[in-house]
Amino acid sequence: MLLNSILYLFLMITLGIEGTAHTLGIGIVTEEKVLANIFDTLTTEKGGIHPKEAAEHHAKLLRPLLKKALQEAKVNIKDVDVIAFSQGPGLGPALRVVATAARALALRYNKPIVGVNHCIAHVEITKMFGIRDPVGLYVSGGNTQVLALEGGRYRVFGETLDIGIGNAIDTFAREIGLGFPGGPKIEKLAQKGEKYIELPYTVKGMDLSFSGILTEAVRKYKTGKYKLEDIAYSFQETAFAALIEVTERAVAHTGKEEVVLVGGVAANNRLREMLKTMSEERGIKFFVPPYDLCRDNGAMIAYNGLRMFKAGIRFSIEETIVKQKFRTDEMEVTW
Ligand code: ATP
Ligand code: FE2
C-alpha cells in the first residue's frame, strides 16, 4: 500500500461511478491504465426499464462495490485525485443515487468532482488505446447513436428514432421464448442461418428505426413457415447493415480516419466483422475496446472525468445536478 501511495503521487487517479441504467459500475483509472473496473447489473427476467428498482439496486451495492474496487486497485480513497460520475442521460432515480454518492465522497474527502456524459464516455475510453478522433458507433440496449467530434462538440450524426438495437434484439428473443438478454442467443442462432428472409430496412435520412423489423420478424416467426435460424440471421444482417450505412455516411461526411464500436452490442461478432469490412474498404482504422470497457462501466466515466479535469474543467456542487436528457452536443469538448 505504501509503495502504491508513493507511485501514485506521480499519477492522477480518478474514481468513476456509472449508474445511468441497470448497471452500477465503479472504475479507478490513471491516464494510461484501468486499475479496477467493477460492476453489477440488475437483471430482470423480462428486461425493460425499471427506474426505481435500478436506483434501489445502486444504493444497495454502492458501498460494497466501492470497497471492492479500491481493494482491487490497491488504492486508498485518500489517494484518489478526482471523483467522476455519470451525470446523464439516463433514468432519473438511478442517476440521483450515483450523483449523491459522488457528492458525498467529494465533500467527505475534499476532492474535486466532475460530471460526465455517458454516451461521450463510451467513445472517449477508446483514447486510452491510442485512438485520437473517431466516429463512434454506440450500440446498447437503450442507445443507438453514431457520434463524432465536430466543431468542438460531439454531434449525433444518426440515432434510433424508436428503440435501441439491443432492445430490439432482446424483445425479439423474448417473443420467441429465449429469455433475457437475447443478444448472445440470437447471435448463436444467426450463425446457423442459411437463407436470407426479407425484413424491413429502415434508414430515414441519417436516423434509424428498429420497431418495423422487430414486428415483422415476430410475425414471420409466428407463421411457422420460416426457420428460426434464418429469421435470426436475417434480423442481424438487416439491422446491422442499416447501422453500417449510417456509420459509413458519418465517416464520409466528417472525413475521419478511425471508427470505434462501443456499447453492449459491440460483443456481437457479426457486427464487428461488418464494421471492420467497411473500415478496410475505406482504408481507415477500426477499433473495439475490451468488452468490459464497451458495456456500461465505471472506468470509462473515470477516464473521461480525468481528461476533463486535466483540461481545467471544474464543477461546483450546484453544477452536479443530474441531467436525464443530457445531450451529447450540450458540452463543449475542451479536453
Ligand atoms: P445503455 O444504458 O447504455 O443502453 P444497457 O443497459 O443496454 O446500456 P449494455 O451492457 O451496454 O447495457 O448492453 C446490453 C445489451 O447488449 C443488451 O441488449 C444485450 O442483449 C446486448 N448484447 C450483449 N451481447 C450481445 C451480442 N453478442 N449480440 C448482440 N447484442 C448483445
Ligand atoms: Fe451505455
Side-chain angles (χ1 to χ4, degrees):
M1 207 66 157
L2 180 65
L3 189 66
N4 275 314
S5 295
I6 295 167
L7 188 66
Y8 292 147
L9 272 179
F10 304 103
L11 294 169
M12 284 205 104
I13 299 177
T14 307
L15 182 128
I17 315 177
E18 157 60 36
T20 53
H22 296 100
T23 299
L24 175 69
I26 312 258
I28 302 174
V29 306
T30 66
E31 260 173 293
E32 278 136 35
K33 216 171 149 196
V34 175
L35 304 176
N37 192 24
I38 309 281
F39 33 74
D40 192 282
T41 303
L42 169 72
T43 45
T44 53
E45 219 152 88
K46 290 197 166 165
I49 298 169
H50 305 85
K52 207 168 141 266
E53 285 87 341
E56 281 163 10
H57 167 267
H58 298 355
K60 199 170 112 199
L61 286 167
L62 244 153
R63 253 173 189 281
L65 288 202
L66 177 63
K67 197 171 158 208
K68 209 167 149 192
L70 289 165
Q71 268 172 359
E72 187 167 312
K74 299 192 179 62
V75 163
N76 189 304
I77 184 87
K78 290 180 187 140
D79 294 328
V80 168
D81 297 291
V82 184
I83 307 285
F85 71 101
S86 55
Q87 193 168 15
L91 310 171
L95 289 173
R96 283 191 284 278
V97 169
V98 164
T100 307
R103 283 179 210 126
L105 286 172
L107 292 170
R108 164 83 171 76
Y109 296 101
N110 197 24
K111 306 287 181 189
I113 182 167
V114 178
V116 172
N117 180 294
H118 175 89
C119 308
I120 294 177
H122 267 293
V123 177
E124 284 275 317
I125 187 65
T126 62
K127 294 187 177 170
M128 191 184 260
F129 301 88
I131 296 294
R132 296 153 75 110
D133 184 20
V135 167
L137 173 57
Y138 165 34
V139 278
S140 65
N143 289 294
T144 302
Q145 290 187 344
V146 175
L147 63 166
L149 258 178
E150 195 180 60
R153 283 167 200 265
Y154 268 97
R155 314 271 173 193
V156 174
F157 288 89
E159 64 189 321
T160 179
L161 299 170
D162 43 43
I163 47 176
I165 176 67
N167 273 349
I169 295 174
D170 290 338
T171 308
F172 175 61
R174 195 171 68 226
E175 292 278 335
I176 62 174
L178 288 181
F180 179 84
K185 291 169 191 156
I186 295 296
E187 180 176 10
K188 265 209 164 138
L189 272 177
Q191 280 161 359
K192 293 189 212 124
E194 286 164 347
K195 190 165 158 258
Y196 181 76
I197 299 162
E198 185 115 5
L199 290 170
Y201 178 92
T202 320
V203 175
K204 295 180 184 163
M206 284 287 277
D207 290 324
L208 299 140
S209 158
F210 298 109
S211 58
I213 185 171
L214 170 61
T215 310
E216 184 57 15
V218 173
R219 193 193 68 77
K220 285 213 157 94
Y221 168 73
K222 286 187 176 157
T223 63
K225 287 191 204 153
Y226 304 91
K227 271 174 70 184
L228 185 51
E229 288 83 356
D230 290 340
I231 304 178
Y233 164 73
S234 307
F235 193 118
Q236 283 200 168
E237 293 303 304
T238 311
F240 294 170
L243 290 170
I244 307 297
E245 182 190 330
V246 173
T247 310
E248 184 165 21
R249 283 163 62 187
V251 169
H253 174 84
T254 57
K256 296 205 193 276
E257 293 176 346
E258 298 164 321
V259 171
V260 297
L261 177 62
V262 294
V265 182
N268 191 288
N269 288 303
R270 180 60 185 141
L271 180 58
R272 288 179 183 219
E273 184 182 284
M274 288 167 83
L275 205 52
K276 187 162 174 266
T277 304
M278 184 274 277
S279 307
E280 280 170 1
E281 279 170 9
R282 297 193 72 96
I284 61 173
K285 188 168 179 173
F286 169 64
F287 178 72
V288 194
Y291 189 62
D292 283 356
L293 299 174
C294 274
R295 49 167 296 167
D296 283 357
N297 69 90
M300 69 179 189
I301 301 296
Y303 183 70
N304 198 171
L306 176 53
R307 288 173 66 97
M308 289 166 73
F309 183 79
K310 288 200 80 168
I313 297 174
R314 302 289 180 271
F315 280 64
S316 67
I317 287 293
E318 292 72 32
E319 286 166 333
T320 61
I321 187 153
V322 304
K323 298 178 177 180
Q324 284 184 63
K325 299 226 153 73
F326 200 168
R327 294 176 52 87
T328 57
D329 60 4
E330 206 176 306
M331 201 160 46
E332 214 183 322
V333 177
T334 54
W335 59 86

